[in-house]
Coordinates of all heavy atoms in Angstrom, one line a residue:
A1 N 1.5 22.4 -12.8 CA 1.3 23.6 -11.9 C -0.2 24.0 -11.8 O -0.6 24.4 -10.7 CB 2.1 24.8 -12.5
V2 N -1.0 23.8 -12.8 CA -2.4 24.2 -12.8 C -3.4 23.0 -12.6 O -4.4 23.3 -12.0 CB -2.8 25.0 -14.0 CG1 -1.9 26.3 -14.1 CG2 -2.7 24.2 -15.3
D3 N -3.0 21.8 -12.9 CA -3.9 20.7 -12.8 C -3.4 19.5 -12.0 O -4.1 18.5 -11.9 CB -4.3 20.2 -14.2 CG -5.4 21.0 -14.9 OD1 -6.2 21.6 -14.1 OD2 -5.5 21.0 -16.1
G4 N -2.2 19.6 -11.6 CA -1.7 18.4 -10.8 C -1.0 17.4 -11.7 O -0.7 17.6 -12.8
P5 N -0.7 16.2 -11.1 CA 0.1 15.2 -11.8 C -0.6 14.7 -13.1 O -1.8 14.8 -13.3 CB 0.1 14.1 -10.8 CG -0.2 14.7 -9.5 CD -1.1 15.9 -9.7
L6 N 0.3 14.3 -14.0 CA -0.1 13.8 -15.3 C -0.6 12.3 -15.1 O 0.0 11.6 -14.3 CB 1.0 13.7 -16.3 CG 1.6 15.1 -16.7 CD1 2.8 14.8 -17.6 CD2 0.6 16.0 -17.3
G7 N -1.6 12.0 -15.8 CA -2.0 10.6 -15.9 C -2.5 9.9 -14.6 O -2.2 8.8 -14.3
Q8 N -3.3 10.6 -13.8 CA -3.8 10.0 -12.6 C -5.1 9.1 -12.9 O -5.8 9.4 -13.9 CB -4.2 11.0 -11.6 CG -3.1 11.7 -10.9 CD -3.5 12.5 -9.7 OE1 -4.6 13.1 -9.7 NE2 -2.7 12.5 -8.7
V9 N -5.3 8.1 -12.1 CA -6.5 7.3 -12.2 C -7.2 7.4 -10.9 O -6.7 6.9 -9.9 CB -6.1 5.8 -12.5 CG1 -7.4 5.0 -12.7 CG2 -5.3 5.7 -13.8
H10 N -8.4 8.0 -10.9 CA -9.1 8.2 -9.6 C -8.3 8.8 -8.5 O -8.4 8.5 -7.4 CB -9.7 6.9 -9.1 CG -10.6 6.2 -10.1 ND1 -11.9 6.7 -10.4 CD2 -10.5 5.1 -10.9 CE1 -12.4 5.9 -11.3 NE2 -11.6 5.0 -11.6
G11 N -7.4 9.8 -8.9 CA -6.6 10.5 -8.0 C -5.4 9.7 -7.5 O -4.6 10.2 -6.6
L12 N -5.1 8.6 -8.1 CA -3.9 7.8 -7.7 C -2.9 7.7 -8.9 O -3.4 7.9 -10.1 CB -4.3 6.4 -7.4 CG -5.2 6.2 -6.2 CD1 -5.7 4.7 -6.1 CD2 -4.5 6.6 -4.9
R13 N -1.7 7.5 -8.6 CA -0.7 7.3 -9.7 C -1.1 5.9 -10.3 O -1.5 5.0 -9.6 CB 0.7 7.2 -9.1 CG 1.2 8.5 -8.6 CD 2.7 8.5 -8.2 NE 3.2 7.2 -7.9 CZ 3.7 6.8 -6.7 NH1 3.8 7.6 -5.7 NH2 4.2 5.5 -6.6
P14 N -0.9 5.8 -11.6 CA -1.2 4.5 -12.3 C -0.6 3.3 -11.6 O -1.2 2.2 -11.6 CB -0.7 4.7 -13.7 CG -0.7 6.2 -13.9 CD -0.4 6.8 -12.6
D15 N 0.6 3.4 -11.1 CA 1.3 2.2 -10.5 C 0.7 1.9 -9.1 O 1.1 0.9 -8.6 CB 2.8 2.4 -10.5 CG 3.2 3.7 -9.8 OD1 2.8 4.8 -10.2 OD2 3.9 3.7 -8.7
E16 N -0.1 2.8 -8.6 CA -0.8 2.5 -7.3 C -2.1 1.8 -7.4 O -2.7 1.4 -6.5 CB -0.9 3.8 -6.5 CG 0.3 4.5 -6.1 CD 0.1 5.8 -5.5 OE1 -0.9 6.5 -5.8 OE2 1.0 6.2 -4.6
V17 N -2.7 1.8 -8.7 CA -4.0 1.3 -8.9 C -3.9 -0.3 -9.0 O -3.0 -0.9 -9.6 CB -4.5 1.8 -10.2 CG1 -5.9 1.2 -10.6 CG2 -4.6 3.3 -10.2
E18 N -4.9 -0.9 -8.3 CA -5.1 -2.3 -8.4 C -6.5 -2.7 -8.7 O -7.4 -2.1 -8.1 CB -4.7 -3.0 -7.1 CG -3.2 -2.9 -6.8 CD -2.8 -3.6 -5.5 OE1 -3.6 -4.5 -5.0 OE2 -1.8 -3.2 -4.9
Y19 N -6.7 -3.6 -9.6 CA -8.0 -4.1 -10.0 C -8.1 -5.6 -9.8 O -7.1 -6.3 -10.0 CB -8.4 -3.8 -11.5 CG -8.4 -2.3 -11.8 CD1 -7.6 -1.8 -12.9 CD2 -9.1 -1.4 -11.1 CE1 -7.6 -0.5 -13.2 CE2 -9.1 0.0 -11.4 CZ -8.4 0.4 -12.5 OH -8.4 1.7 -12.8
P20 N -9.3 -6.1 -9.5 CA -9.4 -7.5 -9.3 C -9.7 -8.2 -10.7 O -10.2 -7.6 -11.6 CB -10.6 -7.7 -8.4 CG -11.4 -6.5 -8.6 CD -10.5 -5.4 -9.0
G21 N -9.5 -9.5 -10.7 CA -10.0 -10.3 -11.8 C -9.5 -9.9 -13.2 O -8.3 -9.6 -13.4
V22 N -10.4 -9.9 -14.1 CA -10.1 -9.7 -15.5 C -9.4 -8.3 -15.8 O -8.8 -8.1 -16.8 CB -11.3 -9.8 -16.4 CG1 -11.8 -11.3 -16.4 CG2 -12.4 -8.8 -16.1
A23 N -9.6 -7.4 -14.9 CA -9.0 -6.0 -15.1 C -7.6 -5.9 -14.4 O -7.1 -4.8 -14.4 CB -9.9 -5.0 -14.6
E24 N -7.1 -7.0 -13.9 CA -5.8 -6.8 -13.1 C -4.7 -6.3 -13.9 O -3.8 -5.7 -13.3 CB -5.4 -8.2 -12.5 CG -4.9 -9.2 -13.5 CD -4.4 -10.5 -12.8 OE1 -3.6 -10.4 -11.9 OE2 -4.9 -11.5 -13.2
H25 N -4.6 -6.4 -15.2 CA -3.5 -5.9 -16.0 C -3.7 -4.5 -16.5 O -2.8 -3.9 -17.1 CB -3.1 -6.9 -17.1 CG -2.8 -8.2 -16.6 ND1 -1.6 -8.4 -15.8 CD2 -3.4 -9.4 -16.6 CE1 -1.6 -9.7 -15.5 NE2 -2.7 -10.3 -16.0
L26 N -4.9 -4.0 -16.3 CA -5.3 -2.6 -16.8 C -4.3 -1.5 -16.3 O -3.9 -0.6 -17.0 CB -6.7 -2.3 -16.5 CG -7.3 -1.1 -17.2 CD1 -7.1 -1.1 -18.7 CD2 -8.8 -1.0 -16.9
P27 N -3.9 -1.6 -15.0 CA -3.0 -0.5 -14.6 C -1.7 -0.5 -15.4 O -1.1 0.6 -15.5 CB -2.7 -1.0 -13.1 CG -3.9 -1.6 -12.7 CD -4.3 -2.4 -13.9
D28 N -1.3 -1.6 -16.0 CA -0.1 -1.5 -16.9 C -0.3 -0.6 -18.1 O 0.6 0.1 -18.5 CB 0.3 -2.9 -17.4 CG 0.7 -3.9 -16.2 OD1 1.2 -3.3 -15.2 OD2 0.6 -5.1 -16.4
V29 N -1.6 -0.6 -18.6 CA -1.9 0.3 -19.7 C -1.9 1.7 -19.2 O -1.3 2.6 -19.9 CB -3.3 -0.1 -20.2 CG1 -3.7 0.9 -21.3 CG2 -3.3 -1.5 -20.8
W30 N -2.4 2.0 -18.0 CA -2.4 3.3 -17.5 C -1.0 3.8 -17.3 O -0.7 5.0 -17.5 CB -3.2 3.4 -16.2 CG -4.6 3.0 -16.2 CD1 -5.4 2.5 -15.2 CD2 -5.5 3.0 -17.3 NE1 -6.6 2.3 -15.6 CE2 -6.8 2.6 -16.9 CE3 -5.4 3.4 -18.7 CZ2 -7.9 2.5 -17.7 CZ3 -6.5 3.3 -19.5 CH2 -7.7 2.8 -19.0
V31 N -0.1 3.0 -16.8 CA 1.3 3.3 -16.7 C 1.9 3.7 -18.1 O 2.7 4.7 -18.2 CB 2.2 2.2 -16.0 CG1 3.7 2.5 -16.1 CG2 1.7 2.1 -14.5
A32 N 1.6 2.9 -19.1 CA 2.1 3.2 -20.4 C 1.6 4.6 -20.9 O 2.3 5.3 -21.6 CB 1.7 2.1 -21.4
V33 N 0.3 4.8 -20.7 CA -0.3 6.1 -21.1 C 0.4 7.2 -20.4 O 0.8 8.2 -21.0 CB -1.8 6.1 -20.7 CG1 -2.4 7.5 -20.9 CG2 -2.6 5.1 -21.6
R34 N 0.7 7.1 -19.1 CA 1.4 8.2 -18.4 C 2.8 8.4 -19.0 O 3.2 9.5 -19.1 CB 1.5 7.9 -16.9 CG 2.2 9.0 -16.1 CD 2.4 8.7 -14.6 NE 3.2 7.5 -14.5 CZ 3.4 6.9 -13.3 NH1 2.9 7.4 -12.2 NH2 4.1 5.8 -13.2
S35 N 3.4 7.3 -19.3 CA 4.8 7.3 -19.9 C 4.8 8.1 -21.2 O 5.6 8.9 -21.5 CB 5.3 5.9 -20.0 OG 6.6 6.0 -20.6
S36 N 3.7 7.8 -22.0 CA 3.7 8.5 -23.3 C 3.4 10.0 -23.1 O 3.9 10.9 -23.8 CB 2.7 7.9 -24.2 OG 1.4 8.0 -23.8
L37 N 2.5 10.3 -22.1 CA 2.3 11.7 -21.8 C 3.6 12.4 -21.4 O 3.9 13.5 -21.8 CB 1.2 11.9 -20.7 CG -0.2 11.5 -21.0 CD1 -1.0 11.5 -19.7 CD2 -0.7 12.4 -22.0
R38 N 4.3 11.8 -20.5 CA 5.6 12.3 -20.1 C 6.6 12.6 -21.2 O 7.2 13.6 -21.3 CB 6.2 11.4 -19.0 CG 5.6 11.5 -17.7 CD 6.2 10.5 -16.7 NE 5.7 10.6 -15.4 CZ 6.0 9.8 -14.4 NH1 6.8 8.7 -14.7 NH2 5.6 9.9 -13.2
L39 N 6.6 11.6 -22.1 CA 7.5 11.7 -23.3 C 7.2 13.0 -24.1 O 8.1 13.7 -24.4 CB 7.4 10.5 -24.2 CG 8.2 10.6 -25.5 CD1 9.7 10.4 -25.2 CD2 7.7 9.5 -26.5
V40 N 6.0 13.2 -24.3 CA 5.6 14.4 -25.1 C 5.6 15.6 -24.3 O 6.3 16.6 -24.7 CB 4.2 14.2 -25.7 CG1 3.7 15.4 -26.4 CG2 4.1 13.0 -26.7
L41 N 5.0 15.7 -23.1 CA 4.8 16.9 -22.4 C 6.1 17.3 -21.6 O 6.3 18.5 -21.5 CB 3.6 16.8 -21.5 CG 2.3 16.6 -22.2 CD1 1.2 16.3 -21.2 CD2 1.9 17.8 -23.1
D42 N 6.9 16.4 -21.2 CA 8.1 16.7 -20.5 C 9.3 16.9 -21.5 O 10.3 17.4 -21.1 CB 8.5 15.7 -19.4 CG 7.5 15.8 -18.2 OD1 6.8 16.8 -18.0 OD2 7.4 14.8 -17.5
G43 N 9.1 16.5 -22.7 CA 10.1 16.6 -23.7 C 9.9 17.8 -24.6 O 10.7 18.1 -25.5
T44 N 8.8 18.5 -24.4 CA 8.4 19.6 -25.3 C 8.4 20.9 -24.4 O 7.8 21.0 -23.4 CB 7.0 19.5 -25.9 OG1 7.0 18.2 -26.6 CG2 6.7 20.6 -26.9
T45 N 9.2 21.9 -24.8 CA 9.4 23.1 -24.1 C 8.5 24.2 -24.7 O 8.0 24.1 -25.9 CB 10.8 23.6 -24.0 OG1 11.3 23.9 -25.4 CG2 11.7 22.5 -23.4
L46 N 8.4 25.4 -24.0 CA 7.8 26.5 -24.6 C 8.5 26.9 -25.9 O 7.9 27.3 -26.9 CB 7.8 27.7 -23.6 CG 6.8 27.5 -22.4 CD1 7.0 28.7 -21.4 CD2 5.4 27.4 -22.9
Q47 N 9.8 26.9 -25.9 CA 10.6 27.2 -27.1 C 10.2 26.3 -28.3 O 10.1 26.8 -29.4 CB 12.1 27.2 -26.8 CG 12.9 27.7 -27.9 CD 12.7 29.2 -28.1 OE1 12.5 30.0 -27.2 NE2 12.8 29.7 -29.3
H48 N 10.1 25.0 -28.0 CA 9.7 24.1 -29.1 C 8.3 24.6 -29.7 O 8.1 24.6 -30.9 CB 9.5 22.7 -28.6 CG 10.8 22.0 -28.3 ND1 11.0 21.4 -27.0 CD2 12.0 21.9 -29.0 CE1 12.2 20.9 -27.0 NE2 12.8 21.2 -28.2

């Protein structure tokens, strides 16, 4: 609500990012990071 989507990379969703060459698999790491953020932040309520 205050900062926008979780886990963006240069304003893009991690699954939208593409890198050339040796960094081509780095977006997979960004997707995993976003997934872990979602696990914690979407699984934790104000009550918790």
